[in-house]
DNA sequence: TTGTACGCGTTATCAA
DNA sequence: TTGATAACGCGTACAA
């Protein structure tokens, strides 16, 4: 049986209220009393019940995190930032995996609500109007990371400027002499990021006077196999292969594309240059090291938590609710070759 | 303000006890009443407070998970299994990252205890006698995954037969004509796994009559950079390179070793064969695809949760507390070349 | 089948 | 500076 606040109170010869004060407002307690109480706690290995505390105080020092899939490679980096910031603020994190299902994501809000989380971080999936009812009644602040909202309920989002990022990739490639630039874009029904990056790609081409050619574009759902298959289709669509560079919407798809190219006797970057997106830890581990767009995952996580912590218990002003665009960065490595 | 059980009771014209029963023992309630109550809950979007429930029932339907580092590549796979099994049992998971610090790991038990978790899964780090006091007083069942215990308090562990696994690797290599087999072993002060795998390596050599040569062995802490540097040292230790195959204690170190070899103009598997350990998702994504030992991470996670769920609320019999060795598997891919 | 009333471990309010 | 005591939201004897 765990020791309770009552046990400690009895042992120290004080009331439970005093024990509670020692824990929460020590400056209101006589130093000697503090000493006695602390000793008692020590000897009984007392650990306050976060549960009871949550019930009484109506807050739980816990943040809820909803992710689409735990196996997404970027998860670890994002979580690192979230965990770091949470810890600094004395918060715990409750994880909820929606398994890429909208229903489960919706359910996640309720379940986390049941745990009295102080705030919720929602990740990666596009938030549409379906979310409005839930968003209205969760009763705790919600922030978005790596995605944005199309719902009416105002919600802040932390992410990068997707369009600009992909524009930068195209610019980088053009500067290195590439003109025939293909793309494996991201596409999922509940994802807007893919469109945005594709838009950046088109914008980039247009800016440099290159015509958009849909034979050079394919789609995938961000994972390795999607990249592999998309590359396969790209190869089939152009019998006389003349693409010199390829942008992708994720490092994983870039890996898939590279594997596919290798399996077809093509080499990176000798035969074709490839640029990834995300800068996952593994991007620098493979051969060739992957040139890619670094997303500040950890920073995004930290920023989201900070916002949440500041927002808890009060109504955030409209000016605080916006899209926070954190800086991305193109990381030059070995998968792009300068032409001519 | 969230709706409480009282609000629902009032709306349905019943007592809170009845509402509670509708939730927990519907068979004791009149069907019509159920109907009414359910409707009320629906209309108010009632979500029972897991917090209050936990306080009252003294259990929280929550499992605690202590991992050494969220960025360890195997984490996602392990978590997948844990999450799956937890869900099936209506449990949530509270994550705690000990950041490879023993003090923080110890603290993890207390904190998770404060959240009234029903059980705790401890991962990867060796459990020594320092853990005994904590283990004694957590008051909830604890299981180990991917590690084992040297503490006196009996704790079950779920893992693979490390010695046998590495023995199998050596056997595999010898069968393919390799004799000069090196190893990048794992080594950390709070880790026994590394020793075990090294033991399997030595056992393998001995079994096939190959002499152990410490010039062919180096150590690292499982991460990419460790593998890279260990390979570097290996290269320096033997000016006239004649190692034909290399075992590693982790896929990440295998990647590091391969990168290092590449940087030194050596190719895998043409110049040297490399075998990884873990079979992380990325093992099949790189070129060459990595031959490696598959650990059943997800299954280990599931097994651990199942055990925990069965153990909660009662004293597990001694026969249940043991080392559960799950089957590993050597996955043949492209990083090993058959000699001669 | 249903309702009343108490307890779970804290915090917060109000007196002392 | 301290102590009683009433919440917090739910589960569950016990009684009806």
């Amino acid at each position: 049986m765990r020791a309770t606040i009552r046990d400690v109170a009895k042992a120290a010869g004080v009331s439970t209220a005093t024990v509670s004060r020692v824990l929460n407002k020590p400056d209101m307690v006589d130093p000697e009393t503090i000493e006695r109480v602390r000793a008692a706690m020590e000897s009984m290995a007392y650990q306050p019940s976060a549960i009871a505390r949550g019930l009484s105080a109506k807050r739980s020092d816990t943040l809820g995190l909803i992710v689409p899939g735990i196996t997404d490679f970027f998860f670890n980096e994002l979580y690192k930032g979230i965990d770091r910031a949470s810890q600094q603020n004395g918060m715990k994190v409750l994880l909820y995996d929606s398994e890429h299902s909208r229903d489960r994501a919706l359910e996640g809000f309720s379940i986390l609500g049941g745990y009295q989380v102080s705030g919720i971080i929602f990740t990666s999936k596009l938030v549409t109007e379906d979310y409005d009812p839930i968003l209205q009644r969760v009763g705790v602040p919600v922030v978005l990371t790596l995605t944005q909202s199309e719902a009416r309920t105002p919600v802040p989002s932390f992410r990068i400027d997707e369009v600009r990022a992909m524009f930068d990739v195209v610019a980088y490639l053009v500067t290195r002499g590439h003109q025939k630039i293909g793309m494996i874009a991201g596409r999922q029904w509940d994802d807007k990021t893919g469109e945005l990056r594709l838009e950046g790609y088109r914008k980039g081409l247009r800016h440099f006077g290159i015509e958009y050619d849909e034979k050079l574009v394919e789609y995938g759902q961000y994972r390795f196999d999607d990249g592999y298959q998309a590359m396969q289709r790209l190869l089939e669509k152009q019998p006389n292969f003349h693409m010199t560079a390829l942008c992708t919407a994720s490092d994983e798809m870039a890996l898939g594309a590279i594997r596919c190219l290798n399996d077809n006797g093509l080499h990176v970057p000798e035969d074709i240059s490839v640029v990834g997106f995300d800068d996952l830890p593994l991007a620098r581990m493979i051969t060739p090291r992957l040139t890619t767009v670094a997303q500040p995952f950890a920073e995004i996580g930290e920023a989201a938590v900070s916002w949440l912590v500041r927002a808890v218990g009060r109504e955030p002003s409209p000016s605080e609710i916006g899209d926070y665009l954190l800086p991305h960065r193109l990381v030059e490595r070995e998968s792009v070759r300068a032409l001519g």
Side-chain angles (χ1 to χ4, degrees), chain A:
Chain A
M1 227 33 181
R2 303 174 56 84
T4 76
I5 199 172
R6 257 186 288 276
D7 302 324
V8 175
K10 191 169 299 178
V14 298
S15 74
T16 60
T18 299
V19 178
S20 176
R21 274 189 287 260
V22 170
L23 251 23
N24 305 303
K25 354 191 120 136
D27 33 307
M28 299 184 66
V29 183
D30 186 284
E32 279 184 29
T33 314
I34 293 192
E35 204 59 31
R36 264 208 334 284
V37 173
R38 289 245 167 88
M41 298 200 295
E42 193 81 14
S43 79
M44 325 182 66
Y46 170 69
Q47 172 77 24
S49 159
I51 297 279
R53 192 173 263 181
L55 219 213
S56 178
K58 320 195 58 162
R59 46 184 186 79
S60 71
D61 290 346
T62 302
L63 259 25
L65 172 61
I66 301 178
V67 294
I70 192 73
T71 58
D72 287 335
F73 281 19
F74 67 77
F75 168 78
N76 307 259
E77 301 306 309
L78 177 71
Y79 189 86
K80 190 163 62 174
I82 292 178
D83 194 46
R84 194 189 300 155
S86 302
Q87 242 174 256
Q88 276 172 10
N89 291 283
M91 297 252 160
K92 291 300 306 165
V93 178
L94 209 44
L95 192 54
Y96 186 87
D97 184 345
S98 70
E99 294 168 341
H100 296 274
S101 141
R102 198 207 35 205
D103 286 348
R104 270 189 55 84
L106 255 15
E107 186 197 36
F109 282 93
S110 298
I111 293 192
L112 291 174
Y115 281 87
Q116 298 282 68
V117 293
S118 307
I120 292 178
I121 301 173
F122 184 88
T123 302
S124 184
K125 293 295 186 184
L126 177 63
V127 170
T128 52
E129 299 200 343
D130 327 352
Y131 285 79
D132 272 317
I134 278 279
L135 252 22
Q136 302 281 6
R137 64 163 185 260
V138 270
V140 297
V142 175
V143 308
L144 272 28
T145 54
L146 307 179
T147 183
Q148 56 190 300
S149 171
E150 286 182 344
R152 273 189 297 270
T153 318
V155 184
S157 74
F158 294 83
R159 52 192 175 92
I160 64 170
D161 185 338
E162 312 282 0
V163 178
R164 180 57 193 273
M166 199 50 91
F167 180 98
D168 290 350
V169 171
V170 173
Y172 175 82
L173 290 171
V174 171
T175 309
R176 270 141 199 86
H178 293 276
Q179 289 282 322
K180 282 289 182 187
I181 302 172
M183 172 159 193
I184 296 181
R187 181 146 76 187
Q188 281 174 144
W189 64 270
D190 54 357
D191 164 67
K192 177 135 195 186
T193 307
E195 293 171 31
L196 258 24
R197 293 187 190 160
L198 183 59
E199 185 187 327
Y201 165 77
R202 299 186 73 144
K203 223 166 187 164
L205 294 185
R206 197 172 328 124
H207 182 266
F208 291 102
I210 303 174
E211 203 170 339
Y212 175 83
D213 178 359
E214 68 173 17
K215 276 212 293 298
L216 296 183
V217 177
E218 268 298 336
Y219 302 85
Q221 306 197 49
Y222 299 97
R223 306 307 304 245
F224 176 81
D225 293 324
D226 300 311
Y228 193 100
Q229 288 153 20
M231 191 66 235
Q232 197 90 288
R233 291 194 295 274
L234 239 25
L235 253 20
E236 284 158 9
K237 285 207 287 191
Q238 37 172 349
N240 41 348
F241 189 76
H242 56 334
M243 187 192 300
T244 66
L246 177 74
C247 314
T248 61
S250 76
D251 282 355
E252 254 198 81
M253 288 205 291
L255 284 196
I258 291 173
R259 246 333 311 195
C260 178
L261 288 164
N262 289 345
D263 288 349
N264 284 275
L266 262 16
H267 294 279
V268 177
E270 293 78 6
D271 300 312
I272 178 171
S273 296
V274 173
V275 179
F277 204 107
D278 283 345
D279 192 28
L280 301 174
L282 64 84
R284 68 181 184 97
M285 302 183 180
I286 62 173
T287 304
R289 294 181 178 91
L290 193 62
T291 292
T292 186
V293 176
Q295 293 207 64
F297 292 110
E299 287 77 4
I300 286 177
E302 287 188 275
V305 171
S306 300
W307 193 94
L308 233 34
V309 169
R310 247 174 293 127
V312 55
R314 65 188 187 80
E315 204 62 35
S317 74
S319 70
E320 290 175 295
I321 300 180
D323 287 359
Y324 295 84
L325 300 185
L326 280 76
H328 61 270
R329 188 168 52 86
L330 187 67
V331 183
E332 288 192 64
R333 285 200 270 249
E334 307 166 349
S335 63
V336 170
R337 184 169 76 97
L339 248 43

